[in-house]
Structure formats: C-alpha cells, structure tokens
Amino acid sequence: MKLAFLGLGVMGYPMAGHLARAGHDVTVYNRTASKAEAWCGEHGGVRRDTPAEAAGGADIAFMCVGNDDDVREVAEGPHGALEGLKPGAILVDHTTSSAGLARELEQRATARGLRFLDAPVSGGQAGAVNGRLTVMVGGDDASFRTVEPAMRHYGQAVTLMGPVGSGQLTKMVNQIILAGTLQGLAEGLNFAVRAGLDGNQVAEVLSKGAAQSWQLENRARTMIEGKFDFGFAVDWMRKDLAIGLEEARRNGSPLPVAALVDQLYQRIQARGGSRWDTSSLIQLLAAP
Amino acid sequence: MKLAFLGLGVMGYPMAGHLARAGHDVTVYNRTASKAEAWCGEHGGVRRDTPAEAAGGADIAFMCVGNDDDVREVAEGPHGALEGLKPGAILVDHTTSSAGLARELEQRATARGLRFLDAPVSGGQAGAVNGRLTVMVGGDDASFRTVEPAMRHYGQAVTLMGPVGSGQLTKMVNQIILAGTLQGLAEGLNFAVRAGLDGNQVAEVLSKGAAQSWQLENRARTMIEGKFDFGFAVDWMRKDLAIGLEEARRNGSPLPVAALVDQLYQRIQARGGSRWDTSSLIQLLAAP
C-alpha cells in the first residue's frame, strides 16, 4: 500500500517515521522543505514540493498540520491533497481541528470520488515518538478498517467514534476534561505547599484514592518544582479549547470551568508562557 | 491493647468492626444508643453511655463523627473523651474537620497529659467496609507508630503527613483536587452526549490518556445514566469544601474553581440533591 504523509512537525515527523520503519512506501510533503529532506535522509522516503504531488500515487494520505487554516491550505488549496489523490483514495486528517471543517472536507472528498476520515490524536510528542498515541477517528466503517492497520504503527488505541467529525468531538471532550482536572490539581497542590505540607508526599498519598489522575501521577512533581519547559504547550491547548468552546456554543453545552481555564491560559501567555506545559496553571496561583 | 471507638456512623461502624474482628477489646459509644447496641450484638464489644466512660480504660480512643461541633461535644464536652482518658492515652480524630480544631484539641490533650492525632480518611463507605481507606495523619512520630498497627485494619495506606493538623490539611487538598476534576469531567461528558457521541465509548477511549482519572474510570457510566443515589454525598462535600475554603482564606491560596464548584453544589442541594454523589455536578449542565 502506497502512503503519503503531509506535515512533518513534532507529531507528523515521528508518526511518518513509524510508517516507513514498518516497511511502507511513504512519500512526504512539508511546508518547510528542509525538514522533509531531513526526514528522507533518515527514513529513505521520497519528498514532493506540493501536497498534490505527494498524495499523487497514494492509497492513503495522512496529514498532520497546525490549525484549521493549515488544513484548508494543505487539503483543498491550489496543489492541495484533494487535487492529487486518485479515485477511491482516503485522506486522513490527524490535525486537531473543528468538526465543521471535517464535515466540509468529507463533502469535498466525496464530490471527487475520494474518502475522508478525521483522526486527531492525543499522547503528545512522547506518544508520537514511542508509537503510543490514542487515535480518535470519525468516518465510515470500511474506510476505518482500511486505514486502521497503518495507524496501529503509532497508535496504541485506535477507535472509530462515529461519523466524520466524531474524532474531533472526542478530542474536544479530552481537552475539556483536562482543563478542569489541571486547574483542580493546581489549586490543590498550591494549597498544599502554602499550608506547609510536603507536596510530593501529598501527591503520593492522594494518588491512591478518588483524587487520582494521570495528571496527578505525571505532573505533580514538576508543578511543585515550577518546571514547565516540556510537554503540551499552552498555545496548543488554547487553540484546542477555542475549538471546543465554539462547538459548545453551537450544541448548547455549558462549560463554565473550561471557559475560565481558557482565560487563565491567556494570562499565562501574557506572562511569556506560550510554550509552557498546560500544568503551568499553578504558576498563576503561586505567590508572586 | 484496649481501644475505644466513639461514633458509629456509616464510617465508624465498619471501622470499629475491623478492630473488633482483629481481636481487639473495643468499647464503643454512639449518640444514638440503639446503633451501639446493634454494633455490640454483631461484634460482641461493650457499650457505654458517654464518651468519657467509653474512653475510660482505653490506650487509644478513636472518634469519627460529623463535623467540628460534634467533635467538640464528643472530645471536650461534659463527659467527653478527654475527661475519661487515662494519662498517656491517645485520642485519634478520624472526622474530617478543621486544622484549627485539631491544634486546639492537641493543646487540651497535652494539658491533661494525653496525646492527640488528627487522622481524616478518604475512600468512603465502601473503603471503610472493605478496610481499604486512605488515612492521613497529623501528629508526632511516636504516637503515630503506636496507633498505626490498629489503623492498618481499615487503612490500606496510613501515612504521617506532619505535625497535628497536617492530616486535615491533606484531606482538604484531596477535596480541592476533586472539585476541579469532577467539574471538568461533568463538562466533558455532558458535551460528549450533546455532541451525539457515545459517552461510555468516549470515557473508555479517554481513560487511556492524559484525561484519565479515578473519577473518569469509576463515575463516567453513572454520570451518563444520571444515577447519583450512592457514593459521597453533596452535603458532606460542601462541609469539607467549607473547611478548605476557610483555611485557604487564612493561608492565602486562591481557589477559583473549588469556590465555584462549592456554589454549584449549593444549587444541587436546592434541587433536592443533598444526598446525591458528588458526581451529580453533571445534572446542572444537562438540558432541563
């Protein structure tokens, strides 16, 4: 099966690498050509100058770019992937973008005799490098079964969530839950330290009970240390929360805490923390 | 070692039961005498009419009652435990109460040649019945080592957190973290259902990633079903949050989300949900 991978950022680069290492014939495209050259040097694939050319002979074209505008440019712009794909081929979008854009791309793909799946991932750069991402897919069952084996090379959990858009909606749920979880953890740990407790001991004890979370187990120590130069960046979280808040406006879901936490992340950006991990919420609570 | 247990409510009744089953000689007191009679019928211990009498011959007196006022009455009221305990004995308070009250009780105990430990628990009624509570202890090391073996009969994790009051402060951290975690989960799951996703499938998929939590794994299904007639009651959570919010006012910790969630629980009480599980926050978000 011939594959294309469009977008070799911190996520796409290692994801495409897993496909090549599994023996797939992968043609790549990246806006900054030097990165695509580096990828080909490492993995031995072929590089093309436009998404259309890269997607040309592919049975499946994966894309993983920044935001809705990037997706539009790479998928449906001039020399975009939809222009190049052959009839029956599948375009898969791994970008976290809006459910509305996913549905729009499905319509355009169908009009050209192509198929489309939205498939945002979670697990961050580490998950992409280790091949342990969670992949949340929206689309039809037959297309899902065609792409699933390839996705397994970088996804430890690959699940069809419903029709096109459902992958994006599931990812929004993930980020909404994270917002409350992280702020609760930040308030609790900051309180612990101000109360004179040993924050790490508190985290250890509470991880055995009802306050346990992945964030408590993986972020408490660095939150207490004030170490945030790693992980999932505040800029990306705000992009994702904006998508979720907009969708919630449409479907009528109240998100009082997610909206508040989005505002708190704006304060972190203003303090120069755009690239800090999302656990940096505790910084706003600490004494100045 | 002779033990006393004061307060045989949903927590104290099974906790005292574990001590008796382990072979300890347990004398009990309960405000409603019929419950103490039932306990003696089941476990074969002795019942007394006042905390002072029950604590009379004990090396350690455990208490587990409702709130600060109940603690004061049972510990330092007329015929209270401090009156009855013999020199060198230890009074242990398993009630979730304020750190200030714990320090006050320590002073009174010391003045009488007694010792005091605060030791709130988490894990709920199920944890008490199964002997799998988390016990967070504040006090001196020697007293801790004396009581720890007995606590192990109902505690899977028994930890000395620091001087008297530290157990209560740790429990406050637990409830503060829970507030944000539960509201984040409620907002996410409500959004999932309104977006047309299968909430249980979403919970299953997200439990493999960074949004995982004990609450997600143990409450998502019942939250989606709208089932709240079990678990940890909103009334008790509000009592605990009030203690945490008051302490935070003293130590200067901002708790924007915990304070908001406390207000949301007030709405649930107004809707008749005083006895509902804390996961009932999702009820306020659901369409009317």
Side-chain angles (χ1 to χ4, degrees):
Chain A
M1 192 142 58
K2 284 203 63 181
L3 306 178
F5 210 105
L6 317 173
L8 300 170
V10 291
M11 300 298 288
Y13 193 105
M15 289 163 78
H18 284 291
L19 296 174
R21 263 195 300 278
H24 285 293
D25 177 3
V26 185
T27 303
V28 299
Y29 161 81
N30 194 62
R31 194 161 47 187
T32 308
S34 58
K35 237 187 195 168
E37 274 163 26
W39 189 92
C40 290
E42 191 177 339
H43 297 287
V46 177
R47 174 182 79 77
R48 298 288 182 220
D49 285 330
T50 69
E53 289 174 80
D59 301 292
I60 310 170
F62 299 92
M63 54 188 293
C64 192
V65 294
N67 56 34
D68 277 25
D69 287 347
D70 300 325
V71 172
R72 281 184 216 280
E73 188 189 323
V74 170
E76 53 187 28
H79 314 295
L82 290 174
E83 231 176 60
L85 283 167
K86 64 187 182 196
I90 306 174
L91 177 62
V92 176
D93 186 16
H94 280 310
T95 315
T96 295
S97 54
S98 67
L101 176 57
R103 291 183 204 111
E104 176 190 321
L105 285 171
E106 183 194 31
Q107 284 191 334
R108 296 202 181 225
T110 305
R112 286 173 172 268
L114 304 169
R115 295 182 283 166
F116 176 81
L117 297 171
D118 58 306
V121 301
S122 72
Q125 192 177 356
V129 169
N130 302 329
R132 296 184 64 77
L133 293 171
T134 295
V135 190
M136 297 153 272
V137 188
D140 68 285
D141 196 57
S143 302
F144 174 73
R145 275 184 278 117
T146 304
V147 304
E148 190 194 3
M151 288 180 177
R152 292 265 168 214
H153 295 304
Y154 44 74
Q156 66 167 330
V158 180
T159 312
L160 180 63
M161 304 304 301
V164 164
S166 302
Q168 298 297 351
L169 293 167
T170 304
K171 179 71 185 281
M172 294 174 209
V173 176
N174 191 71
Q175 309 305 64
I176 291 164
I177 292 175
L178 277 181
T181 305
L182 281 162
Q183 178 64 15
L185 184 57
E187 291 183 10
L189 291 178
N190 180 66
F191 176 100
V193 171
R194 288 220 193 178
L197 298 169
D198 175 336
N200 288 316
Q201 191 191 21
V202 169
E204 168 67 20
V205 168
L206 301 192
S207 72
K208 295 178 172 65
Q212 179 277 342
S213 66
W214 187 96
Q215 297 294 335
L216 175 68
E217 294 192 354
N218 291 276
R219 290 293 183 269
R221 184 169 296 273
T222 44
M223 287 169 84
I224 291 162
E225 287 169 357
K227 181 174 153 54
F228 308 117
D229 57 343
F230 72 104
F232 187 64
V234 166
D235 275 356
W236 295 113
M237 183 62 163
R238 283 210 82 203
K239 185 206 80 171
D240 293 359
L241 284 174
I243 293 169
L245 289 164
E246 199 187 320
E247 185 70 36
R249 205 178 287 270
R250 260 190 299 276
N251 70 26
S253 300
L255 297 179
V257 165
L260 169 64
V261 171
D262 178 57
Q263 295 296 309
L264 296 175
Y265 281 129
Q266 190 175 43
R267 295 299 310 145
I268 293 176
Q269 288 174 319
R271 286 185 177 203
S274 295
R275 310 303 304 166
W276 292 353
D277 183 63
T278 46
S279 59
S280 54
L281 285 168
I282 197 172
Q283 275 282 74
L284 298 179
L285 304 171
Chain B
M1 193 142 58
K2 283 203 65 182
L3 307 178
F5 210 105
L6 318 173
L8 300 170
V10 292
M11 301 298 287
Y13 194 105
M15 289 164 77
H18 284 293
L19 295 174
R21 264 196 299 279
H24 285 293
D25 176 3
V26 186
T27 303
V28 299
Y29 160 81
N30 194 62
R31 192 161 47 187
T32 308
S34 57
K35 238 187 195 167
E37 274 163 28
W39 189 92
C40 290
E42 192 177 339
H43 298 287
V46 176
R47 175 182 79 76
R48 298 288 182 218
D49 285 330
T50 68
E53 289 173 80
D59 301 292
I60 309 170
F62 299 92
M63 55 188 290
C64 192
V65 294
N67 55 35
D68 277 26
D69 287 345
D70 301 325
V71 171
R72 280 183 216 278
E73 188 188 323
V74 171
E76 55 188 26
H79 314 295
L82 290 174
E83 229 175 61
L85 284 167
K86 64 188 181 195
I90 306 174
L91 177 62
V92 175
D93 186 15
H94 281 309
T95 314
T96 294
S97 54
S98 67
L101 177 56
R103 291 182 204 111
E104 176 190 320
L105 286 171
E106 183 194 31
Q107 285 192 333
R108 297 203 180 224
T110 305
R112 287 174 172 266
L114 305 169
R115 296 181 282 167
F116 177 80
L117 297 172
D118 58 306
V121 301
S122 72
Q125 192 176 357
V129 170
N130 303 327
R132 296 185 64 75
L133 293 170
T134 295
V135 189
M136 298 152 273
V137 187
D140 69 286
D141 196 57
S143 303
F144 175 73
R145 275 184 279 118
T146 304
V147 304
E148 190 194 1
M151 287 181 177
R152 292 265 169 216
H153 295 303
Y154 43 77
Q156 67 168 330
V158 180
T159 312
L160 180 63
M161 304 305 300
V164 163
S166 302
Q168 298 298 351
L169 292 168
T170 304
K171 178 71 185 281
M172 293 175 209
V173 176
N174 190 71
Q175 309 305 64
I176 291 164
I177 292 175
L178 277 181
T181 305
L182 282 163
Q183 178 64 15
L185 184 57
E187 292 183 11
L189 291 178
N190 180 65
F191 176 100
V193 171
R194 287 218 195 179
L197 298 169
D198 175 337
N200 288 315
Q201 191 191 19
V202 169
E204 168 69 21
V205 168
L206 300 192
S207 72
K208 295 178 172 62
Q212 180 277 343
S213 66
W214 186 97
Q215 297 294 335
L216 175 68
E217 294 193 355
N218 291 277
R219 290 293 183 269
R221 183 169 296 272
T222 44
M223 287 169 83
I224 292 162
E225 287 170 356
K227 181 174 153 52
F228 309 115
D229 58 343
F230 72 105
F232 187 64
V234 166
D235 274 356
W236 295 112
M237 183 63 163
R238 284 211 81 202
K239 184 206 78 170
D240 293 0
L241 285 173
I243 293 169
L245 288 164
E246 199 186 322
E247 186 70 35
R249 205 178 287 269
R250 260 191 299 275
N251 70 26
S253 300
L255 297 179
V257 165
L260 169 63
V261 171
D262 178 56
Q263 293 297 308
L264 296 176
Y265 281 130
Q266 190 175 43
R267 295 300 309 145
I268 294 177
Q269 289 174 317
R271 285 184 178 204
S274 295
R275 309 304 303 165
W276 293 352
D277 183 64
T278 46
S279 59
S280 55
L281 285 167
I282 196 171
Q283 276 282 72
L284 297 179
L285 305 171

